[in-house]
Amino acid sequence: MSRGPNGERNDEDLGVLLVSVSARLTRLYGRVLGQLDTPLTFRQHRMLRRVSEGHTSMAALAAFGNLTVPTVSESVEVLVRRGLMKRQENPQNRRSLLLSLTPDGLAAKEAADTALAAVGDRLLHAVPDDRHELLHESLAAVFDAATDIFQEPIGTGAQAAPAVRGPEL
């Protein structure tokens, strides 16, 4: 990252670095998840995690991940075919389905959680311990700002961000 004449950071370079870090982490996590005994994509892992946390409807998964219900439905279908998730009729609303993990799905989610936690620990060793809280606060602020921008109607504001679909779920 370049610095100005007085040692200040160049915000444009910081933005490029932020996008580059995001892309690198996405590829790294994708590689780690793809090498598991039960290979997963980043989105599949996030769906398994969300369902295990109690988000058991496709609408809830879509809202949580800023995705469309058809996108979630396609991903769920793959997980069901692989035997990692199951769908059942909602007894309180026969027009909706409830999602749950199969034993294989739970095992795949737990293996992925463990593998990603190990990578996260290795990454955090590059950051001094006394900066972990600042890093956490900064990343949370960037995440919240990105979520706000993502949820704006397309084309609003002077600096509207383009609609993007990434590994948010």
Side-chain angles (χ1 to χ4, degrees), residues 96-112:
S96 71
L97 298 171
L98 293 177
L99 305 171
S100 61
L101 301 187
T102 65
D104 287 345
L106 182 59
K109 181 207 79 73
E110 289 174 353

Side-chain angles (χ1 to χ4, degrees), residues 68-85:
T68 65
V69 173
T71 298
V72 170
S73 181
E74 289 173 24
S75 296
V76 166
E77 181 60 33
V78 170
L79 292 167
V80 168
R81 279 196 316 259
R82 293 182 64 197
L84 303 176
M85 191 177 286

Side-chain angles (χ1 to χ4, degrees), residues 43 60-69 71-72 143 146-148 150-151 164-166 168-169:
R43 182 176 290 162
L61 289 175
F64 199 95
N66 293 317
L67 300 169
T68 65
V69 173
T71 298
V72 170
F143 181 86
T147 299
D148 290 345
F150 189 84
Q151 292 176 343
V164 241
R165 285 285 182 229
E168 59 278 302
L169 204 170

Side-chain angles (χ1 to χ4, degrees), residues 2-154:
S2 66
R3 295 190 181 261
N6 297 326
E8 72 277 2
R9 289 190 174 121
N10 181 324
D11 284 344
E12 181 178 326
D13 287 346
L14 186 58
V16 169
L17 179 62
L18 184 61
V19 170
S20 297
V21 167
S22 174
R24 177 67 49 92
L25 290 175
T26 298
R27 288 190 307 273
L28 173 61
Y29 279 33
R31 187 176 78 186
V32 168
L33 292 170
Q35 293 174 348
L36 297 172
D37 289 341
T38 302
L40 298 169
T41 65
F42 189 77
R43 182 176 290 162
Q44 289 169 345
H45 173 247
R46 297 292 286 181
M47 285 194 173
L48 293 174
R49 283 194 61 202
R50 296 299 176 226
V51 169
S52 76
E53 293 167 352
H55 304 277
T56 60
S57 75
M58 288 197 222
L61 289 175
F64 199 95
N66 293 317
L67 300 169
T68 65
V69 173
T71 298
V72 170
S73 181
E74 289 173 24
S75 296
V76 166
E77 181 60 33
V78 170
L79 292 167
V80 168
R81 279 196 316 259
R82 293 182 64 197
L84 303 176
M85 191 177 286
K86 60 184 175 181
R87 294 177 292 227
Q88 60 192 39
E89 190 177 280
N90 183 343
Q92 284 138 0
N93 180 353
R94 292 180 14 185
R95 294 182 347 170
S96 71
L97 298 171
L98 293 177
L99 305 171
S100 61
L101 301 187
T102 65
D104 287 345
L106 182 59
K109 181 207 79 73
E110 289 174 353
D113 289 347
T114 299
L116 294 181
V119 171
D121 288 346
R122 286 186 64 192
L123 292 170
L124 286 175
H125 282 313
V127 178
D129 288 343
D130 64 338
R131 294 195 179 177
H132 283 201
E133 185 175 342
L134 178 60
L135 177 63
H136 186 274
E137 291 169 0
S138 299
L139 290 174
V142 169
F143 181 86
D144 290 344
T147 299
D148 290 345
I149 293 169
F150 189 84
Q151 292 176 343
E152 290 175 358
I154 295 174

